[in-house]
């Protein structure tokens, strides 16, 4: 069973619902691409379109995204069918705060679809066979199902991610990514109707950069942790055994797993580079909203609190990085897959 | 939009999840009837059966009920189709504690269906057209969509329900019940496949008793409130303006609304009388788990707390009532409807 690391729930200062602007920017940026991809590639005759957002979190981003998908389909089919209905499924881990999701959902009176939730990991079956027409996932598939198995024996000394780590550590991440994607694609190959589309948006790092500067998004948090080790507040072994279960695939990585799986054709694969205006403080809160849970699980809430407080102390350094290097290493991968064969 | 009065959430002492034994007994009692009704009346060919529990609350009762429906269908179709899949939808108000529901759901590894949630009132459309095969609802339809409209002008003096009240008050309840049931049946008539079944279990009072002793379940709580009025703790007008939005239909009531709606045939209609062993204290906690929310909304949490504390003081009286009169006035109505015509 996949491990679960939900975004912060509730409505508080550090909640994901109030701190997901970066993801919102990403989704906004992808909006037109998603719309075009659906209009160009979706070719199914049905009275009810079943759409799912995999890794929807608590909103509000998921609502904008689903509305966009619904409108694209309406636009495409408006002349041929006036009575189309939409069943939109919001999927995330069981531990996601669905109560918050539902509250926001029902305060949106513009809703033009029937809404449902599917709790559970997308690294596994979620739907009956041949029941989905469009599966969408934005900034969710970079989450691995677990910390790479291969890392249990190999200590990732002084690091919390593969960024800047040894080739062995990196290989363990790649391995886990490939296994997870095979599970994801096989599950969807069963669940999607023939001709159904998977639309993916996720953060990406070009392959050639893995051994160079890396993603750096965690560098500042990592260095706070190392400071705490040096001051004797955190045990070194506790840091060595902590690794973020995130992998940012390149376009080659994605092509490889899709081709190996064999059930989907790649209709579109694009890498874009997004300008995102965010100040350093918001950036740290943003990281906290997304990762506090996983840090707390390993380090406890007291240490986790201090990690983020200390990272706030590096605000000038982060500001400089956001202005210069951040954009150079931040890419979005946009991919459209079509379900091409039935598994019997 | 229907008002929402969810059962107590969470896992605490007064949570519905820990205090729904009466409903569990009802569901257990109905288990065999549900099974037989499905085997006798369901006659649909499909690879995926879509089942919904309308008014599922937070569990665990809903899980037993859904498992029972799934097993009945499996039993019926096992010889003709080996690859049946089940999509089970858990429906309740948006404010229901779905987080608790999902947690319990996923700790059940015996689950043989794909699970989803549909938040929203069943007094309205929830699903796309022709998408449900079996709709089940146990002890939920006695909740009206709102306090009867007709009661706004007519004060229900010193009462919190139609039990023991004037004929005008009773008529206002009947009116609201008939309107709500028409909305419920019309929505289902659109959502269900032709031949799909609605299985209903709900508390019932024979028509001839309305003017006599009534249900009495709220009598003890009501008298606590009246005591508080007499002691000047609660304003009389606050009690007069409070009415529980519950109606316990007789078999004639149900037949009338179904026939008027015209979209369903009545395949089965039975009234049973259930022996339920519950002591007085558990009984009060049970009422609290179900109704604390609605009392709190009107009276605030301080007064509501005192209402239930005072009712605990009537334990001997309640014990005597449970042993003698309770069973005489407690009936379960069991009804199976089949969707008979398409609305165009």
């Amino acid at each position: 069973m996949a491990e679960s690391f939900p975004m912060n729930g509730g409505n508080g200062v550090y909640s994901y619902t109030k701190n997901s602007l970066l993801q919102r920017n990403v989704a906004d940026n992808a909006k037109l691409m998603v719309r075009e991809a659906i209009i160009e590639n979706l070719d199914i005759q049905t009275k009810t379109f079943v759409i799912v957002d995999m890794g929807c979190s608590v909103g509000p981003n998921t609502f904008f995204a689903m509305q966009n998908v619904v409108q694209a389909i309406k636009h495409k089919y408006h002349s041929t069918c006036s009575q189309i209905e939409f069943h939109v499924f919001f999927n995330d881990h069981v531990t996601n705060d669905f109560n918050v999701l539902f509250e926001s959902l029902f305060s949106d009176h513009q809703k033009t679809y029937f809404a449902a939730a599917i709790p559970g990991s997308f690294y596994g079956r979620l739907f009956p066979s041949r029941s989905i027409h469009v599966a969408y996932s934005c900034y969710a598939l970079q989450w691995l199902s677990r910390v790479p198995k291969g890392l249990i024996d190999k200590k990732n000394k002084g690091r919390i991610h593969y960024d800047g780590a040894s080739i062995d550590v990196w290989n363990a991440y790649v391995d886990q990514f490939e296994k997870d994607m095979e599970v994801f694609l096989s599950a969807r190959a069963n669940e999607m109707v023939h001709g159904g589309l998977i639309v993916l948006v996720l953060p990406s790092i070009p392959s050639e950069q893995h051994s160079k500067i890396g993603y750096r998004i965690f560098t500042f948090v990592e260095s706070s942790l190392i400071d705490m080790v040096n001051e004797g507040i955190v045990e070194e072994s506790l840091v060595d055994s902590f690794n973020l279960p995130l992998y940012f695939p390149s376009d080659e990585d994605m092509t490889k797993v899709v081709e190996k799986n064999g059930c989907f054709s790649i209709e579109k694969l694009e890498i874009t580079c997004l300008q995102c205006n965010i100040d350093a403080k918001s950036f740290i809160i943003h990281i906290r909203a997304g990762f506090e849970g996983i840090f707390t699980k390993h380090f406890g809430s007291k240490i986790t609190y201090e990690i983020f407080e200390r990272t706030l102390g590096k605000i000038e350094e982060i500001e400089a990085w956001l202005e210069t290097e951040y954009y150079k290493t931040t890419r979005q991968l946009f991919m459209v897959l079509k379900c091409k064969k039935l598994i019997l």
Side-chain angles (χ1 to χ4, degrees), chain A:
Chain A
M1 200 161 159
E3 287 183 67
S4 136
F5 313 103
M7 307 296 99
N8 279 353
N11 285 307
V13 184
Y14 300 112
S15 65
Y16 182 79
T17 200
K18 295 220 170 126
N19 296 286
S20 44
L21 189 66
L22 278 181
Q23 289 89 337
R24 170 75 189 273
N25 281 352
V26 165
D28 278 351
N29 189 50
K31 197 176 163 180
L32 206 65
M33 290 196 287
V34 172
R35 185 181 164 85
E36 280 172 7
I38 284 171
I39 292 172
E40 279 169 32
N41 297 291
L42 190 66
D43 197 18
I44 296 169
Q45 296 307 320
T46 179
K47 281 188 173 176
T48 304
F49 279 92
V50 174
I51 305 164
V52 52
D53 184 1
M54 298 196 153
C56 63
S57 191
V58 291
N61 293 347
T62 184
F63 308 129
F64 305 122
M66 291 300 94
Q67 198 56 40
N68 185 39
V69 172
V70 164
Q71 273 165 356
I73 298 177
K74 272 191 178 171
H75 178 85
K76 171 149 191 163
Y77 290 90
H78 81 280
S79 57
T80 52
C81 185
S82 58
Q83 300 245 305
I84 301 179
E85 290 180 325
F86 297 92
H87 211 185
V88 173
F89 288 82
F90 295 92
N91 159 256
D92 211 311
H93 281 291
V94 177
T95 48
N96 184 51
D97 196 338
F98 282 96
N99 290 348
V100 166
L101 178 80
F102 290 160
E103 266 171 50
S104 331
L105 183 59
F106 277 76
S107 57
D108 176 11
H109 296 293
Q110 304 294 305
K111 204 161 47 77
T112 54
Y113 49 80
F114 297 106
I118 294 271
S121 167
F122 49 54
Y123 294 123
R125 281 290 297 273
L126 293 167
F127 285 84
S129 304
R130 312 273 155 249
S131 59
I132 306 172
H133 299 96
V134 178
Y136 169 92
S137 182
C138 184
Y139 269 48
L141 261 178
Q142 75 272 22
W143 285 94
L144 300 170
S145 71
R146 48 164 294 156
V147 174
K149 267 193 185 166
L151 286 186
I152 294 169
D153 306 321
K154 289 179 204 74
K155 293 266 183 233
N156 188 12
K157 275 205 88 58
R159 302 273 172 200
I160 62 172
H161 195 224
Y162 62 84
D163 173 36
S166 71
I167 186 79
D168 277 359
V169 168
W170 187 58
N171 281 337
Y173 271 91
V174 174
D175 229 51
Q176 189 63 46
F177 163 75
E178 290 180 350
K179 279 188 188 122
D180 285 344
M181 278 303 295
E182 175 53 29
V183 173
F184 177 86
L185 292 169
S186 295
R188 301 301 86 74
N190 278 295
E191 292 169 355
M192 301 205 66
V193 301
H194 190 207
L197 301 181
I198 301 182
V199 180
L200 299 176
V201 186
L202 67 168
S204 168
I205 307 181
S207 298
E208 65 274 16
Q209 284 200 6
H210 278 306
S211 52
K212 294 179 193 166
I213 57 170
Y215 201 63
R216 288 212 52 182
I217 234 184
F218 305 110
T219 310
F220 304 104
V221 176
E222 192 176 84
S223 86
S224 301
L225 253 174
I226 299 302
D227 291 348
M228 288 164 77
V229 169
N230 293 337
E231 292 168 34
I233 300 167
V234 178
E235 278 199 46
E236 194 173 2
S237 63
L238 209 59
V239 177
D240 294 347
S241 61
F242 178 72
N243 292 289
L244 289 166
L246 290 161
Y247 184 77
F248 306 99
S250 67
D251 47 352
E252 293 94 336
D253 287 333
M254 287 303 280
T255 307
K256 187 180 166 192
V257 290
V258 173
E259 286 178 352
K260 190 176 165 235
N261 170 268
C263 300
F264 296 90
S265 59
I266 299 174
E267 301 296 318
K268 197 160 263 188
L269 178 51
E270 273 179 46
I271 302 282
T272 58
C273 184
L274 174 67
Q275 292 283 338
C276 183
N277 296 316
I278 188 168
D279 63 275
K281 197 178 165 194
S282 305
F283 178 79
I284 300 163
I285 293 176
H286 165 83
I287 299 282
R288 184 164 173 178
F291 298 97
E292 190 165 16
I294 187 168
F295 277 89
T296 303
K297 213 168 173 176
H298 189 84
F299 294 104
S301 53
K302 206 177 145 199
I303 289 173
T304 299
Y305 175 82
E306 191 165 342
I307 295 169
F308 287 106
E309 285 301 306
R310 278 172 181 248
T311 309
L312 279 173
K314 301 175 203 293
I315 225 154
E316 283 175 27
E317 200 184 334
I318 296 171
E319 203 73 69
W321 171 75
L322 281 169
E323 277 172 22
T324 56
E325 286 194 78
Y326 178 52
Y327 301 124
K328 294 183 200 159
T329 55
T330 307
R331 300 281 185 282
Q332 282 76 45
L333 186 147
F334 178 75
M335 194 175 204
V336 179
L337 305 175
K338 189 179 267 192
C339 185
K340 66 174 177 180
K341 62 172 162 184
L342 296 167
I343 289 176
L344 299 174

